[in-house]
Amino acid sequence: MAGRAWKFNDDIDTDAIIPGRYLVINDPEGLAEHVFEGVRPEFARRVEAGDFVVAGTNFGCGSSREHAPLGLKGAGVKAVVAKSFARIFFRNAINIGLPLFVCADVDRIGDGDALEIDADEGLIYNRSRGESYRTTSLPPFLQEIVETGGLVEYTKRMVKSA
């Protein structure tokens, strides 16, 4: 996975990711038009498929809605890297197939840095700074859910193979 970092601070809540007035939209691409609208209005216009959201602690706090990770995925965000995630956001992201990586060194990543993530090795390479950082890998069963596109697709596969 390779892309550009979009840097955010601590405690980015789900309303900052997708404002509540757009909860009537359930289409990932429709939600993508409004991702981070109130905190980084340029995000929806300038994010490119394969980019990464990088944040501090407690990313995705707030409500339990799936709209937040769904909008990120619809915008083409390849993964979210943070010091920590709100538990419900973590679960919702896995459920829709959005990879998440916990990394203690996100403060060393700058906005716009070119990153590569090797999930198998548990490393994030910062090509802009010539550095690498450790990240946690998902447990194999969660990684399989993400790789199949989320919990619905994973369940369909499991039922089909049974």
Side-chain angles (χ1 to χ4, degrees):
M1 287 186 250
R4 173 180 51 172
W6 287 84
K7 190 75 181 276
F8 294 87
N9 293 321
D10 296 337
D11 302 313
I12 298 298
D13 68 33
T14 53
D15 283 325
I17 301 167
I18 289 290
R21 66 184 168 273
Y22 300 114
L23 297 182
V24 296
I25 302 170
N26 290 310
D27 170 54
E29 288 75 26
L31 288 167
E33 296 175 18
H34 305 287
V35 173
F36 295 119
E37 188 172 274
V39 292
R40 289 203 61 185
E42 78 282 8
F43 183 88
R45 292 187 319 274
R46 296 186 48 214
V47 67
E48 296 178 10
D51 284 353
F52 302 106
V53 167
V54 178
T57 58
N58 201 28
F59 185 84
C61 58
S63 68
S64 63
R65 65 182 75 121
E66 277 189 349
H67 293 75
L70 197 58
L72 291 172
K73 190 172 179 182
V77 171
K78 188 67 174 175
V80 181
V81 178
K83 281 188 181 180
S84 66
F85 294 92
R87 288 177 58 180
I88 193 67
F89 179 88
F90 183 91
R91 195 64 222 171
N92 284 337
I94 298 302
N95 287 348
I96 61 126
L98 179 65
L100 303 176
F101 297 93
V102 175
C103 177
D105 295 315
V106 294
D107 295 335
R108 295 169 59 184
I109 299 171
D111 194 52
D113 282 358
L115 303 179
E116 283 183 45
I117 299 178
D118 185 332
D120 294 331
E121 293 295 321
L123 288 172
I124 299 171
Y125 299 99
N126 188 329
R127 299 299 181 204
S128 298
R129 298 173 190 244
E131 299 176 346
S132 62
Y133 323 111
R134 281 250 158 250
T135 183
T136 57
S137 295
L138 293 172
F141 78 98
L142 290 181
Q143 198 165 348
E144 190 175 351
I145 291 171
V146 169
E147 289 170 1
T148 58
L151 190 57
V152 170
E153 293 305 316
Y154 175 80
T155 303
K156 285 179 185 176
R157 181 198 283 180
M158 298 309 290
V159 168
K160 194 175 189 178
S161 67

